Amino acid sequence: MRRKNYTTFAAIHLGSEMLSMQITEYHNTERYKVVECCNRRIRLGEATFKNKIIPFPLVSEICEILIGFKRLMKEYGVEEYVMQATTAVREASNQVFLLDQIYNKTGLVVDVVDMPREIYTKFVAIRNTLKAEKISTEREGMLMMDISSGGLGVTLVRDEKICYQGNFHIGIIRIKESFERNRRESMHFNKALTEFLSSTIGPVRNELGDSKVRYLVLSGTETELLLRMLGLDEKQLVHRIKAADFHAFFDSMRQMSLPQLIQVYKLPENVAELVLPTVLLYEQLLHLIPAKEIIITADRFIDGIQLLHIGNKTNPVMRKELEQELISLFHTIGARYLYDKKHAQQVERLSLIIFDKISKAYGMGEHERLLLRATCILHDIGKYICMRSHSIYSYQLIMSTDIIGLSEADKEIVALASYYHANRLFDKTNTRAPQVEKELVPVVAKLAAIVRLADALDRSYMQKIHSCTVTLKDNKLKVLAASKEDLTLEIWTFDDKSTFFEEVFGIEPILERVNK
Amino acid sequence: MGKLDLTKPEYFYNRELSWLKFNLRVLKEAMVKDTPLLERLKFIAISASNLDEFFMVRVAGLWSNFDSGVEKRDASGMSVHEQLVAISQAAHEQVRTQTKSLIALMAEMDAVKLHFRRVKDLSELGKDWLEEYYREVVFPVLTPMAVDASRPFPFLANKTLNLAVELIKADGEHSMGLIQVPSVLDRIVEVEPEGKRTFVFLEDIIASHCHDLFKGCHILDMVSFRVTRDSDLDLEEDDSVDLMKEVEESLRKRKRGAAVRLEIFKTNNNRIKKFLEENLDVTEMEVYEINGPLDPTCFFKFIGMKGMWPWLYEPFVPQRPLELPYDGDLFASIRENDILLHHPYESFDPVVKLVSDAADDPQVLAIKQTLYRVSGNSPIVAALARAAENGKQVTVLVELKARFDEENNILWARRLEKAGCHVIYGLVGLKTHAKIILIVRKEDNGIKRYLHLGTGNYNDSTAKLYTDLGLMTANDEFGSDASAFFNLLSGYSEPPVWNKLVMAPLGLREKIYALIDNEIAMVRAGREGHIIAKMNSLIDQPVIQKLYEASAAGVHIDLIVRGICGLRTGIEGISDNITVRSIVGRQLEHSRIFWFANGGEEQLYLSSADWMPRNLNDRVELFFPVETEEHIHRIKALLDLYLRDNVGAHMMQSNGTYRRVRNKLEPVSAQSTLYEMAQLAVTADKLPMEKRLQPVFSRR
């Protein structure tokens, strides 16, 4: 028998409306085959968005279905799996009990992803599809709108860079659940809903500035419904529709009542109820961002789980590209707070030279490298608020910004490292210092120590050092900085800041200027 | 053109009366002189057995509806009571034909020295032998039951044969007694010392010897009779279940087990008749007086007795399938080409082998199968259990409601469970009638799925008698549909967007409409519209209306419907483009085939479903396309053969009767032709040289 050259992987998504599993055999991101796809409807969102509690019968139902999924996983000889839960579970106050029951009854470990990661996961899938369709963002911008049952993610991409990213707590089921039935049936509902949506997503327009958008990419659970109503093939991966056609479609159906919708589009009542909020939301979006063409993709969250998993395992090029896009997002955030781009880049460059020398010995890998880069780019953004104690504001700004691609925990590390690049760790006299949880101390300290050193090397903010090599010998880290200019300020600062580095790594940093 | 009203009662036939006509066609096979004598006798037994079930289920169901006051009329406009009256009339007529045929056949048997005799007409030697037979064998199992004030009328089991006895006591008082003819003994007894083959009926032996059974009484008269009851079986053949729901629970309990038919040997003794009628609570129209042997189902066993072969068909041997010329790796064969099997002409063995091979194949990960009716000692069930024991994931969807012997079903279902199979005992609201096997195999290039889809049950016994088609394929689109199908039935997933399969009750009806509408559109576009559909029963009113619509539009429709057909042919402007024929013969026609001309790009489908409301609304059924050109041609040729049949085919006439097709053409029997063709296919010159070189050690 020939050597088996593929891996069988199951992606499971516990969403707000659907419990899904997709089993794939993959060689790499180009060669893979979906062999099984299950979607079982569950009414999780309706229950949780209102009462924040997942009722017990629903917990049992979920476990029953998952036991079936486990059986299917065996039937296909699944070797790897990732199970993620999104909005409804994230927001349930009894989340822990649900996860515990799932684990005890099925052995499955559930990763509850936060909103930015959820959006990012889908972003990755859609990005991949659009690339395959050769839809380019080189010149004209593409605004991606992902509407899930619980949230709306807005991402602007131009020239392979993420130029804007914002997420809103507004989704179809959530809208439906936010208004009681009698309100939904009111004559004024249409207008009230329009205003509600407009006020919630209006600020996006300001954020986008003068950005022109050619494509509006729609994705999410309700797009399927939209396709069906437009009479398009649900199985096709990508649909491109002219904006004018889209408006005409909306005009044709806006005035329809619920019974008319059910009759004309042959929808079940519970689905028809979602039509109005969906249509109004899309309409508001189009009103805010007049795009020329609308693209609807069939990508789902579960496709993103799958792609990220396979990509991480097999495709370093894709990893790099994704990382590059994330870095572009960090810069977008930096720019929003008027950061000193040249300084940030210099610190990033120098930090990476040091990092690459010592990372292996200190248990740091690709992921820490990315967090380091984020810290370097964002460490000074607090200066936007106040020049004096900028580091605390850097911390706060980072913590309160959605950064897709980074989990809440990742974001906290970046924020803490940014704060501690300028402050002493364990300083009892500093009552404003943010607490670092015990398990985060090593990574935060290591990143902060590196950034602190690199920051010292550009103390003048003049990027005097044009190149730099680092050697490590006998616990001494020798930094050979090539510069034609005087480095006195940098050398003094470096001396002051090197103590922390030595404490953390047990290595003494020494700076030498090379006149080149 | 104004819209046609296609709902008029005169456009439809009543389901029950149509069924009785079908049974009459079966019965009339007994009079076909070309058929071997005892095969003809077998047709009488089959029609009698069919009629038993008809009374137990259909007639009982109607009585139950009548008692609970259901007032719904059927498509042909008949009320429940009108149906019962009409059934009684037709059934009486049929029973008379049956008895006449039976007596005629017994005369023919006499001519070939198979003699049925009364005990009193035997030789002394024979009488002595019977005397001993009675004492040794019969007497010990007889239970005489007197019926009087202190001993009420006993419960006589369904379908048992009994003797009613009129007695006179020593004190001159008249009374009645009953003797059950023991069902553990052979009904027909050969009297060995007679010299020539002579047979007597068991009830005659008892009647001739029982004068001392009732102590202190003198026997005045004796009459044999048989009772048929509303059976407590499932209502499998019944789509009046919906109506049943309206019936009060208490009423149902009371009526269950009630007698629905009394068959009684023709007698002038009105006292016995009245005694039975009153005690069994039957009305006059439920009484069938028969001037001949009761219960001809006993001839099933008779024709199996030793030495009967000269008057029977040569044994029917299912042949090696045309598309599987030799043993070997079945999976490899399926991977290479889809395989079409036509049972019983071609053996069912490959289907058993598929499951069995899968059970032992280390690369197989999972087997999933639906089971509706299986044979008593099913090799498929055994293979499934073995597969589970071998660590495969086995999912079996068992339909418990499908069988008469539910207990037996539960037994083997438990066995499967014990072996580690995941057994699903049907769905809450639907019966699973689809026939599908899915095998998931892990191969070098990834998961590969193998499927068997069929028109008949996974029953290796009936597969020797029923004509059915089965398709084995490794087509990915079929495979992923099959997975989705099982995921849906297992509750793991919502219905998907299907690639190839069509499923009832989710979409099959609409698909049928769409296919018929397509033919209508073809005609309107000036092209030919033609449908050939073969099934067991056609009674779904909306589908029939759709066919009328098509006929009216000019679509030519040839229907091959073995049994019940509610559609009327020859209505001017409504159904004059429709022909209906029924094929009856040695094999039971069971395959469901649907062919559509589609303007020259023909489409062909196979299905587990008939066009009946229960199949389209209340059952899980599958309907699937046949896609390879050779297979389409092969099956289309099969349909054409059926349409040419002038031996076993009966055409529906515009007055609703069926007339055997007789024409001046060369006689064509589809069933015999198919058997000959299957035999021909395996003759030596069709085999590859390596096979022809193999020595033969034993005959098959």
Side-chain angles (χ1 to χ4, degrees):
Chain A
M1 212 164 84
R2 271 179 294 153
R3 201 173 59 85
K4 177 174 137 338
N5 51 2
Y6 59 86
T7 311
T8 315
F9 167 69
I12 306 175
H13 174 210
L14 176 49
S16 306
E17 291 170 83
M18 208 66 102
L19 177 50
S20 305
M21 175 168 75
Q22 194 154 296
I23 299 179
T24 316
E25 291 171 345
Y26 70 88
H27 303 264
N28 53 45
T29 43
E30 258 69 65
R31 287 177 63 205
Y32 67 88
K33 188 177 150 203
V34 175
V35 293
E36 184 69 277
C37 186
C38 291
N39 302 293
R40 175 66 191 267
R41 196 165 284 284
I42 42 162
R43 297 173 165 252
L44 207 52
E46 277 177 30
T48 354
F49 295 154
K50 221 188 286 172
N51 306 321
K52 302 284 169 209
I53 286 262
I54 300 172
F56 183 72
L58 214 47
V59 174
S60 302
E61 193 188 331
I62 290 167
C63 287
E64 279 303 312
I65 301 168
L66 285 173
I67 288 170
F69 282 6
K70 277 283 279 197
R71 202 173 282 129
L72 277 175
M73 286 163 74
K74 266 192 178 171
E75 286 174 15
Y76 288 100
V78 168
E79 295 147 286
E80 301 166 348
Y81 82 90
V82 170
M83 176 169 176
Q84 296 187 340
T86 45
T87 325
V89 177
R90 183 162 67 230
E91 294 184 3
S93 59
N94 58 344
Q95 182 199 101
V96 195
F97 305 121
L98 171 74
L99 302 190
D100 181 62
Q101 287 226 20
I102 290 177
Y103 180 72
N104 284 314
K105 285 186 180 162
T106 68
L108 292 167
V109 178
V110 188
D111 177 9
V112 182
V113 300
D114 47 54
M115 189 153 169
R117 250 174 95 207
E118 182 181 343
I119 303 283
Y120 183 67
T121 305
K122 273 206 225 163
F123 166 76
V124 170
I126 294 165
R127 170 190 175 280
N128 197 53
T129 304
L130 296 181
K131 269 198 157 178
E133 292 283 321
K134 306 210 166 26
I135 295 171
S136 148
T137 65
E138 221 168 276
R139 296 257 178 81
E140 292 153 308
M142 170 187 305
L143 191 74
M144 300 188 178
M145 293 271 187
D146 181 69
I147 306 173
S148 66
S149 40
L152 165 68
V154 182
T155 311
L156 179 67
V157 184
R158 175 173 295 123
D159 204 9
E160 310 232 325
K161 291 191 184 78
I162 301 177
C163 312
Y164 169 77
Q165 212 292 314
N167 304 313
F168 304 84
H169 248 196
I170 181 170
I172 302 302
I173 302 261
R174 200 191 296 277
I175 292 172
K176 189 181 150 223
E177 294 307 319
S178 308
F179 297 95
E180 289 160 6
R181 194 179 177 94
N182 54 359
R183 289 190 189 165
R184 291 204 303 268
E185 281 167 1
S186 144
M187 277 170 60
H188 306 292
F189 179 56
N190 208 321
K191 187 160 190 294
L193 186 59
T194 308
E195 283 169 9
F196 172 79
L197 292 172
S198 163
S199 67
T200 314
I201 56 177
V204 178
R205 184 67 260 178
N206 306 336
E207 290 269 2
L208 291 177
D210 296 330
S211 301
K212 284 250 162 52
V213 171
R214 176 177 179 131
Y215 301 112
L216 181 63
V217 181
L218 302 179
S219 61
T221 39
E222 299 333 313
T223 52
E224 221 173 275
L225 177 64
L226 197 66
L227 286 177
R228 208 186 321 159
M229 291 172 57
L230 281 161
L232 298 169
D233 178 11
E234 292 161 59
K235 279 213 150 178
Q236 196 179 317
L237 274 181
V238 176
H239 290 278
R240 300 174 71 152
I241 303 157
K242 293 264 169 300
D245 296 345
F246 219 66
H247 281 297
F249 166 69
F250 283 158
D251 286 341
S252 75
M253 60 155 303
R254 192 175 326 135
Q255 296 309 324
M256 286 192 199
S257 65
L258 196 60
Q260 281 172 323
L261 281 172
I262 293 171
Q263 204 192 346
V264 173
Y265 294 105
K266 298 200 169 54
L267 301 169
E269 192 184 337
N270 60 337
V271 175
E273 273 195 329
L274 300 178
V275 170
L276 190 62
T278 309
V279 166
L280 284 179
L281 186 54
Y282 283 133
E283 210 186 9
Q284 279 300 308
L285 292 173
L286 259 180
H287 180 70
L288 283 170
I289 301 111
K292 288 184 184 142
E293 203 175 328
I294 285 89
I295 297 175
I296 300 179
T297 79
D299 290 289
R300 305 185 308 153
F301 179 71
I302 203 161
D303 299 309
I305 301 181
Q306 183 180 302
L307 187 64
L308 275 173
H309 179 85
I310 300 174
N312 282 334
K313 292 254 174 183
T314 66
N315 191 341
V317 177
M318 188 186 112
R319 270 191 75 131
K320 270 272 162 317
E321 280 176 13
L322 285 174
E323 198 176 296
Q324 221 34 62
E325 277 171 4
L326 274 183
I327 301 292
S328 72
L329 173 64
F330 302 154
H331 282 291
T332 302
I333 296 166
R336 186 190 296 166
Y337 301 111
L338 310 176
Y339 75 145
D340 182 333
K341 186 174 182 181
K342 284 184 178 160
H343 173 67
Q345 283 173 327
Q346 178 75 344
V347 172
E348 184 189 358
R349 196 159 60 95
L350 296 169
S351 288
L352 290 178
I353 293 170
I354 298 167
F355 179 91
D356 292 342
K357 196 78 205 169
I358 61 173
S359 59
K360 224 174 185 179
Y362 291 88
M364 294 183 288
E366 286 294 319
H367 187 62
E368 285 76 14
R369 199 171 188 274
L370 177 69
L371 298 183
L372 176 66
R373 295 180 76 178
T375 312
C376 292
I377 296 166
L378 301 175
H379 73 284
D380 271 349
I381 57 172
K383 288 184 176 168
Y384 179 72
I385 311 270
C386 172
M387 291 301 284
R388 270 169 290 122
S389 39
H390 76 276
S391 58
I392 186 68
Y393 298 113
S394 290
Y395 170 81
Q396 286 167 355
L397 282 176
I398 294 170
M399 285 304 281
S400 42
T401 304
D402 280 349
I403 310 179
I404 61 168
L406 294 190
S407 67
E408 280 298 312
D410 289 340
K411 206 163 77 178
E412 195 178 354
I413 291 169
V414 172
L416 286 167
S418 297
Y419 179 79
Y420 286 103
H421 94 279
N423 297 282
R424 270 175 56 209
L425 202 52
F426 312 124
D427 182 357
K428 293 249 167 64
T429 62
N430 182 358
T431 49
R432 290 178 69 188
Q435 290 298 302
V436 188
E437 274 176 58
K438 211 173 165 188
E439 58 266 34
L440 290 186
V441 171
V443 61
V444 169
K446 281 186 270 189
L447 298 184
I450 295 172
V451 177
R452 195 183 287 191
L453 215 54
D455 193 32
L457 290 171
D458 193 33
R459 181 63 191 84
S460 62
Y461 282 61
M462 290 162 71
Q463 296 81 45
K464 288 187 228 162
I465 299 169
H466 58 78
S467 75
C468 176
T469 50
V470 174
T471 59
L472 178 62
K473 208 179 165 189
D474 303 329
N475 284 335
K476 286 188 181 14
L477 186 85
K478 199 179 271 179
V479 180
L480 300 166
S483 177
K484 289 221 183 299
E485 292 168 62
D486 177 63
L487 290 183
T488 312
L489 177 60
E490 277 73 18
I491 291 171
W492 288 351
T493 321
F494 191 87
D495 275 351
D496 292 345
K497 303 282 180 177
S498 63
T499 335
F500 182 51
F501 189 91
E502 209 173 335
E503 272 173 31
V504 175
F505 293 105
I507 301 173
E508 184 194 347
I510 299 159
L511 176 63
E512 281 182 24
R513 173 171 169 269
V514 183
N515 193 359
K516 265 206 293 200
Chain B
M1 196 173 75
K3 208 164 158 51
L4 290 169
D5 177 12
L6 299 173
T7 61
K8 294 182 187 165
E10 61 264 34
Y11 292 172
F12 300 92
Y13 288 124
N14 172 261
R15 175 193 166 134
E16 322 302 340
L17 299 178
S18 176
W19 183 87
L20 280 167
K21 279 183 205 148
F22 157 68
N23 204 43
L24 190 63
R25 293 194 289 279
V26 176
L27 177 58
K28 283 187 169 166
E29 286 294 301
M31 291 295 106
V32 177
K33 300 279 191 220
D34 297 343
T35 309
L37 186 57
L38 294 188
E39 296 289 348
R40 290 162 60 195
L41 186 61
K42 192 165 154 190
F43 280 111
I44 292 186
I46 293 171
S47 72
S49 155
N50 287 349
L51 205 56
D52 285 350
E53 199 180 310
F54 178 71
F55 274 95
M56 276 149 54
V57 179
R58 301 298 313 177
V59 176
L62 282 172
W63 274 116
S64 176
N65 286 344
F66 178 71
D67 288 343
S68 53
V70 173
E71 282 170 15
K72 208 181 147 212
R73 286 176 184 269
D74 79 333
S76 69
M78 294 176 87
S79 71
V80 174
H81 190 256
E82 281 162 2
Q83 292 183 59
L84 283 165
V85 170
I87 289 169
S88 172
Q89 269 170 13
H92 273 92
E93 181 64 36
Q94 192 163 118
V95 167
R96 278 194 289 276
T97 310
Q98 186 188 74
T99 311
K100 238 167 65 188
S101 310
L102 185 55
I103 288 167
L105 269 183
M106 285 165 89
E108 285 191 50
M109 280 152 59
D110 216 53
V112 298
K113 301 197 164 55
L114 295 172
H115 307 287
F116 277 85
R117 290 283 179 269
R118 297 294 307 268
V119 173
K120 63 179 171 36
D121 298 333
L122 295 176
S123 68
E124 285 312 307
L125 217 59
K127 281 186 182 151
D128 290 347
W129 182 88
L130 264 188
E131 180 73 41
E132 193 177 328
Y133 181 82
Y134 174 78
R135 254 203 337 271
E136 303 275 313
V137 181
V138 184
F139 179 74
V141 290
L142 286 184
T143 316
M145 294 169 286
V147 179
D148 53 34
S150 58
R151 284 168 290 198
F153 196 87
F155 184 86
L156 301 175
N158 184 26
K159 295 198 288 180
T160 52
L161 192 64
N162 299 274
L163 290 168
V165 189
E166 189 181 19
L167 302 163
I168 185 159
K169 290 182 182 170
D171 58 9
E173 192 191 336
H174 279 253
S175 91
M176 293 285 179
L178 296 167
I179 309 169
Q180 193 169 86
V181 178
S183 48
V184 292
L185 300 180
D186 287 341
R187 173 84 190 287
I188 296 168
V189 179
E190 182 164 8
V191 189
E192 286 165 18
E194 276 298 282
K196 42 190 183 178
R197 297 200 75 169
T198 305
F199 307 89
V200 295
F201 286 102
L202 181 58
E203 64 269 29
D204 193 23
I205 303 176
I206 298 169
S208 314
H209 293 89
C210 69
H211 29 78
D212 56 349
L213 263 183
F214 295 91
K215 290 273 172 329
C217 297
H218 178 67
I219 293 175
L220 281 180
D221 194 7
M222 240 183 300
V223 179
S224 56
F225 71 97
R226 183 169 180 258
V227 58
T228 313
R229 296 184 179 278
D230 180 345
S231 61
D232 193 17
L233 314 170
D234 72 276
L235 293 166
E236 200 265 319
E237 299 301 321
D238 187 6
D239 61 2
S240 72
V241 189
D242 284 342
L243 304 177
M244 292 290 285
K245 281 181 194 154
E246 300 163 17
V247 179
E248 290 289 318
E249 190 61 26
S250 60
L251 188 64
R252 275 179 49 185
K253 269 182 189 147
R254 185 174 66 76
K255 279 308 280 184
R256 190 170 285 166
V260 289
R261 176 176 63 166
L262 169 65
E263 294 166 284
I264 182 166
F265 192 83
K266 190 156 180 63
T267 175
N268 293 323
N269 189 330
N270 286 329
R271 289 179 304 281
I272 290 188
K273 260 198 273 183
K274 218 168 174 64
F275 164 71
L276 292 175
E277 277 174 26
E278 274 170 12
N279 282 291
L280 291 168
D281 191 21
V282 288
T283 57
E284 207 184 320
M285 69 183 208
E286 295 167 281
V287 181
Y288 293 76
E289 280 192 63
I290 296 169
N291 198 8
L294 300 189
D295 190 14
T297 60
C298 62
F299 291 109
F300 279 126
K301 209 163 178 189
F302 170 74
I303 62 175
M305 287 169 86
K306 63 174 174 22
M308 297 299 185
W309 57 268
W311 303 286
L312 288 169
Y313 283 123
E314 294 215 1
F316 182 90
V317 184
Q319 302 292 308
R320 176 179 282 286
L322 180 71
E323 297 177 18
L324 280 173
Y326 37 90
D327 281 331
D329 185 346
L330 192 49
F331 294 121
S333 308
I334 300 173
R335 256 197 318 273
E336 212 167 294
N337 286 311
D338 285 4
I339 293 165
L340 182 72
L341 299 171
H342 191 194
H343 314 298
Y345 311 105
E346 296 180 336
S347 165
F348 190 69
D349 291 351
V351 181
V352 177
K353 180 173 154 61
L354 181 70
V355 183
S356 181
D357 283 3
D360 300 319
D361 182 344
Q363 282 178 275
V364 167
L365 295 173
I367 307 175
K368 300 186 179 197
Q369 182 169 6
T370 55
L371 284 181
Y372 190 73
R373 285 166 195 262
V374 296
S375 64
N377 212 345
S378 166
I380 286 187
V381 171
L384 289 171
R386 192 169 76 247
E389 280 153 9
N390 286 346
K392 321 260 179 240
Q393 299 294 312
V394 180
T395 304
V396 186
L397 197 95
V398 175
E399 192 43 80
L400 280 185
K401 290 166 274 187
R403 279 281 284 216
F404 284 74
D405 47 350
E406 286 180 321
E407 231 170 272
N408 178 38
N409 252 8
I410 289 168
L411 221 62
W412 62 253
R414 285 272 147 74
R415 193 173 130 226
L416 284 175
E417 240 175 14
K418 216 169 157 191
C421 299
H422 177 50
V423 179
I424 303 169
Y425 293 92
L427 306 179
V428 176
L430 299 167
K431 260 195 240 184
T432 313
H433 193 245
K435 290 95 177 62
I436 180 170
I437 300 172
L438 165 67
I439 290 162
V440 179
R441 199 160 178 269
K442 193 152 196 147
E443 300 183 353
D444 292 344
N445 298 320
I447 289 292
K448 190 88 190 159
R449 297 185 180 91
Y450 296 85
L451 289 193
H452 176 271
L453 289 159
T455 63
N457 292 313
Y458 291 114
N459 183 327
D460 50 296
S461 300
T462 56
K464 290 175 187 144
L465 182 66
Y466 291 23
T467 72
D468 272 308
L469 287 164
L471 183 74
M472 293 181 176
T473 179
N475 179 305
D476 279 343
E477 287 185 294
F478 279 79
S480 85
D481 276 1
S483 282
F485 173 78
F486 280 106
N487 288 339
L488 175 63
L489 297 194
S490 311
Y492 302 162
S493 192
E494 306 295 318
V497 180
W498 303 97
N499 299 306
K500 296 288 175 188
L501 302 186
V502 185
M503 185 188 156
L506 306 173
L508 177 51
R509 178 180 287 284
E510 292 72 16
K511 176 75 180 177
I512 294 168
Y513 293 165
L515 286 165
I516 301 175
D517 277 336
N518 182 50
E519 293 302 314
I520 296 175
M522 288 293 165
V523 170
R524 299 220 163 113
R527 298 161 87 173
E528 190 213 0
H530 190 185
I531 299 170
I532 307 174
K534 178 178 184 295
M535 66 200 92
N536 302 337
S537 302
L538 168 61
I539 197 71
D540 188 86
Q541 194 181 342
V543 171
I544 293 174
Q545 284 168 204
K546 196 62 161 169
L547 290 169
Y548 286 156
E549 194 186 321
S551 167
V555 178
H556 188 67
I557 301 167
D558 291 307
L559 300 172
I560 306 167
V561 184
R562 183 198 76 214
I564 301 165
C565 181
L567 176 142
R568 275 186 99 129
T569 53
I571 309 171
E572 214 187 311
I574 302 286
S575 65
D576 30 17
N577 283 321
I578 306 179
T579 66
V580 175
R581 74 195 68 211
S582 164
I583 309 278
V584 178
R586 183 176 182 187
Q587 273 79 44
L588 183 77
E589 288 302 329
H590 197 254
S591 50
R592 287 109 171 174
I593 309 169
F594 306 92
W595 178 89
F596 301 86
N598 190 31
E601 286 173 41
E602 51 188 345
Q603 291 178 314
L604 198 140
Y605 297 86
L606 300 177
S607 181
S608 58
D610 288 319
W611 287 354
M612 299 176 91
R614 67 158 192 240
N615 296 92
L616 302 179
N617 304 336
D618 303 319
R619 283 184 175 185
V620 176
E621 304 268 11
L622 285 174
F623 181 88
F624 57 96
V626 174
E627 296 196 319
T628 49
E629 213 164 302
E630 299 94 286
H631 288 159
I632 294 176
H633 288 162
R634 194 177 158 196
I635 300 172
K636 175 65 180 5
L638 175 68
L639 290 173
D640 290 338
L641 181 64
Y642 279 120
L643 294 179
R644 287 209 317 274
D645 190 309
N646 55 7
V647 173
H650 304 247
M651 287 293 277
M652 183 194 273
Q653 309 296 306
S654 54
N655 65 0
T657 58
Y658 284 76
R659 192 182 298 159
R660 198 181 280 274
V661 177
R662 281 285 175 259
N663 52 34
K664 296 214 168 73
L665 302 172
E666 195 69 2
V668 177
S669 157
Q671 293 190 346
S672 326
T673 310
L674 289 165
Y675 188 37
E676 282 156 24
M677 275 163 57
Q679 283 174 313
L680 207 64
V682 289
T683 48
D685 59 348
K686 299 269 173 163
L687 293 177
M689 192 48 78
E690 51 172 77
K691 287 281 152 183
R692 292 171 74 181
L693 278 169
Q694 274 187 4
V696 177
F697 294 111
S698 67
R699 282 186 67 88
R700 196 203 298 257

